[in-house]
Amino acid sequence: MKVFSKSVVFVAMSLTLFNVTAAENNSTDSIIRYAIWSNPSGNFHPTLYFTDYDRSIIFTLFGRLFTLDEQQNPKPSLAENYEYSDNGKTLTLHLKPGVKWHDGAAFTAEDVYFTYATEADAGFPKDTPGFVKHLVGYEDYHSGKTDHLAGIKVIDPQTISFSFKAPYAAAFSHFADRPVLAKHIWSQVPVKEWNKATALLRNPVGTGPYKFVAFLPDQYVQLERNDDYFGGVPKTKTLIFKISSAQTVQNELINGDVDIAELSSWNNRDLQTYKNAGIQIIEQPGVGAQYLSLDTRNEKLTDRRVRQALVYGIDRKSIVDKLLYGHGQVFNTKDNPHSPYYPKVLNDYAYNPEKSQALLKEAGWTDSNGDGFVDKNGKNFTLTLNYPTGNRTRELTAPIIQQNLKKIGINVVLNVADFNATLSILQDKTKVYDGVLMGGTFRPGEYDNNFWWERFSTPQLDTFASEFSTTIDPERLKTSIDGWLKGINQEAPHVWLYIPNIGYALSKRVTHYHSYPYEPFADVANWTVKQ
């Protein structure tokens, strides 16, 4: 899922380096088993993926033009270096030579053009990214007036340029978020048919450190190292993403069935069990948020006062303290508090049931019949809360929200389903819903007023978005993003719940592990285990 920000330098704990050199074993039989909480959808496509579970697989299989360094600055990867034109509108990339796709074909600038031009195609089976809308010639290409996107030019096999209508600061963010796909494979399928190309979606060919081997739904995804990887031969032969659960992963780690797992709970008892078993725990500042998405087209939720009442009515600090045991923080707008753009002054929506009830009353919702629930025009305020399985803390959040909102007179009906079924509610823009509990990862440097999973916009926010999407000037960026984030805070299109710290549990087999916020797999080629 997308969320949105630009992060500053993290404290020392943001770097994770677990290195026992003497114990390293680069045996050709070495295997790392990495636990993930939900079944990937099988959409292993660099520009079409929706979930962070698919993203984990994709970022291990595919190369990106840029990754992010520890300070969230762009770091050249498939692109070796770059330069801007004097007016700041054209960005030229020089690609790393000698890179090969997993099937042996050469990686060239044609692949780069194809990847990002197809995002501008009218048949692209996902919302058109803001990135391509800023390219010169987008309208003509999208409408079919021309068959070439003028804003992307292949200069030679190792050089490509991107020309924007105005200086565009978020280009690097898009490159870091959307890997490059193989033209010689995906050009064989019409863009509008990509979502139906199951055989290709589930048999991806990339340029990354690992090659795809197998996907067995509800069990695992198996990858094997790419001996021709441009970043050096990976030190571990096999990488398996094992579908696990919060209920079983602790035993799997202790028994050696799993080597690395992201923590889903900060329960002190569980942490002590890990410690007693010799399991290493790594903690990093959070890069993803949990939120309650509200459909502002819903007649119950169109009034800003109602949405604000929901935020005031949920004890978010208590959720952090009780479910995360303090390993996290509350946030109040569409950004990470670690971001340099996060406003210093925001309405913090501290828990206040009385304020919630007053706002509901102002909006016409009162308990007219004494049944304990507020009503309007003869109908009680019932809110269906959709939430997915797979993340234990999020699952436990749902009944807490239900009880909190009952106190202010709202009847919350819980509707639980598997992750992909719940996600489909947000993916279908024609579907009107009440609320969806979901999580997403902040994307450093990426601000957008029209995320695919949202149902909200205002003229004022659109104006701010237009300003920060047409400049690379630091002061203009700061001013416009500040206004936009404050506007989001006031409009409350979501209940911003909490940002959990990231925790990783490493089995005793892991002998070299390195990750940092926003880039958990940046160093995957160097991970090792002892046999």
Side-chain angles (χ1 to χ4, degrees):
M1 295 289 305
K2 283 197 163 87
V3 195
F4 11 60
S5 81
K6 171 67 180 164
S7 293
V8 294
V9 180
F10 283 104
V11 292
M13 67 187 264
S14 70
L15 295 182
T16 302
L17 183 58
F18 183 55
N19 186 1
V20 187
T21 305
E24 288 186 4
N25 185 332
N26 295 335
S27 166
T28 57
D29 297 325
S30 56
I31 298 174
I32 291 178
R33 299 173 181 86
Y34 190 104
I36 55 177
W37 301 125
S38 288
N39 190 48
S41 71
N43 181 357
F44 303 132
H45 188 288
T47 61
L48 294 184
Y49 74 88
F50 277 102
T51 78
D52 282 344
Y53 303 110
D54 291 322
R55 177 185 171 94
S56 297
I57 314 301
I58 291 167
F59 276 37
T60 311
L61 291 170
F62 289 87
R64 291 170 282 162
L65 293 173
F66 295 86
T67 59
L68 300 173
D69 67 15
E70 289 89 340
Q71 289 76 42
Q72 317 316 312
N73 298 312
K75 179 181 179 181
S77 185
L78 285 172
E80 201 166 46
N81 52 68
Y82 65 93
E83 71 262 357
Y84 272 108
S85 61
D86 291 340
N87 63 9
K89 294 182 180 181
T90 297
L91 174 64
T92 300
L93 309 181
H94 304 277
L95 306 180
K96 190 179 294 292
V99 177
K100 295 181 180 179
W101 292 96
H102 292 160
D103 60 6
F107 163 78
T108 73
E110 292 290 347
D111 296 304
V112 179
Y113 171 87
F114 179 77
T115 297
Y116 301 109
T118 51
E119 290 185 319
D121 192 291
F124 188 63
K126 191 177 178 181
D127 285 359
T128 303
F131 168 80
V132 294
K133 293 180 180 179
H134 293 279
L135 288 167
V136 170
Y138 161 74
E139 289 80 7
D140 286 347
Y141 184 78
H142 185 74
S143 65
K145 290 182 179 179
T146 178
D147 61 1
H148 186 84
L149 182 52
I152 310 178
K153 293 182 180 179
V154 174
I155 299 170
D156 61 48
Q158 307 309 135
T159 312
I160 191 166
S161 68
F162 294 82
S163 294
F164 301 95
K165 301 168 190 173
Y168 182 61
F172 293 105
S173 175
H174 192 73
F175 293 146
D177 196 48
R178 300 291 156 176
V180 181
L181 60 97
K183 176 182 178 181
H184 67 282
I185 293 175
W186 282 97
S187 62
Q188 305 303 311
V189 181
V191 175
K192 65 180 180 181
E193 302 293 329
W194 278 4
N195 269 343
K196 301 176 183 177
T198 304
L200 294 184
L201 291 171
R202 295 199 173 193
N203 292 277
V205 174
T207 57
Y210 282 87
K211 297 180 179 182
F212 179 83
V213 175
F215 171 38
L216 193 59
D218 299 314
Q219 295 190 45
Y220 63 84
V221 177
Q222 181 178 343
L223 312 179
E224 299 289 333
R225 69 177 165 211
N226 173 18
D227 291 334
D228 293 322
Y229 177 49
F230 63 87
V233 179
K235 294 181 179 178
T236 296
K237 180 178 184 292
T238 304
L239 177 62
I240 293 177
F241 287 89
K242 186 178 186 295
I243 290 81
S244 184
S245 71
Q247 290 73 33
T248 64
V249 74
Q250 186 174 81
N251 286 335
E252 290 176 306
L253 278 160
I254 293 172
N255 294 335
D257 297 322
V258 163
D259 300 300
I260 303 171
E262 184 175 342
L263 295 181
S264 66
S265 168
W266 289 104
N267 184 299
N268 293 324
R269 182 175 60 254
D270 290 337
L271 295 181
Q272 187 60 47
T273 299
Y274 280 130
K275 182 178 179 180
N276 294 342
I279 302 296
Q280 173 85 358
I281 300 296
I282 302 296
E283 183 170 3
Q284 301 174 2
V287 300
Q290 296 292 324
Y291 55 90
L292 170 56
S293 180
L294 305 173
D295 191 338
T296 60
R297 302 169 305 173
N298 188 315
E299 62 180 1
K300 293 178 290 191
L301 301 170
T302 55
D303 192 316
R304 180 175 68 190
R305 293 169 295 186
V306 172
R307 301 193 300 271
Q308 291 178 334
L310 294 176
V311 187
Y312 279 117
I314 297 174
D315 192 351
R316 299 175 294 149
K317 179 64 166 55
S318 179
I319 291 174
V320 171
D321 291 340
K322 293 180 179 179
L323 297 186
L324 298 178
Y325 299 87
H327 295 266
Q329 62 183 317
V330 170
F331 68 118
N332 290 293
T333 190
K334 201 190 307 187
D335 201 357
N336 191 322
H338 288 288
S339 164
Y341 297 112
Y342 194 85
K344 294 181 179 179
V345 179
L346 287 174
N347 184 351
D348 65 3
Y349 290 97
Y351 181 53
N352 191 333
E354 293 76 20
K355 178 71 170 178
S356 293
Q357 291 172 321
L359 286 167
L360 288 172
K361 185 176 182 180
E362 288 179 22
W365 292 95
T366 59
D367 183 5
S368 64
N369 56 16
D371 66 353
F373 297 110
V374 296
D375 57 84
K376 186 176 183 180
N377 299 325
K379 294 182 179 180
N380 280 354
F381 195 140
T382 297
L383 187 142
T384 299
L385 177 58
N386 302 281
Y387 67 101
T389 57
N391 180 309
R392 183 60 176 164
T393 303
R394 182 166 56 207
E395 291 177 36
L396 293 173
T397 301
I400 293 175
I401 293 174
Q402 183 183 48
Q403 291 302 312
N404 284 170
L405 295 185
K406 183 178 180 180
K407 292 179 181 178
I408 64 171
I410 294 176
N411 178 31
V412 175
V413 177
L414 301 182
N415 182 36
V416 62
D418 68 73
F419 182 84
N420 290 314
T422 304
L423 179 65
S424 69
I425 297 171
L426 296 175
Q427 291 174 323
D428 183 358
K429 281 198 167 183
T430 66
K431 188 175 183 64
V432 177
Y433 60 89
D434 291 348
V436 176
L437 274 185
M438 190 53 67
T441 303
F442 292 99
R443 307 295 189 229
E446 185 173 323
Y447 293 86
D448 195 324
N449 207 37
N450 294 288
F451 287 110
W452 61 266
W453 47 274
E454 293 190 329
R455 310 288 190 269
F456 181 78
S457 183
T458 70
Q460 180 190 32
L461 294 177
D462 288 343
T463 297
F464 282 128
S466 176
E467 290 176 0
F468 61 65
S469 64
T470 56
T471 184
I472 56 175
D473 177 76
E475 290 305 313
R476 283 190 61 194
L477 280 171
K478 184 176 181 179
T479 299
S480 57
I481 292 174
D482 182 79
W484 184 69
L485 292 173
K486 287 178 178 177
I488 293 289
N489 171 259
Q490 182 180 38
E491 292 293 339
H494 314 289
V495 177
W496 313 280
L497 294 172
Y498 56 89
I499 300 173
N501 289 350
I502 305 170
Y504 297 98
L506 312 179
S507 78
K508 290 182 286 188
R509 292 182 64 243
V510 179
T511 54
H512 185 283
Y513 174 82
H514 179 207
S515 73
Y516 49 88
Y518 296 104
E519 289 286 358
F521 300 102
D523 198 46
V524 66
N526 291 315
W527 294 357
T528 55
V529 292
K530 59 185 176 182
Q531 301 303 297

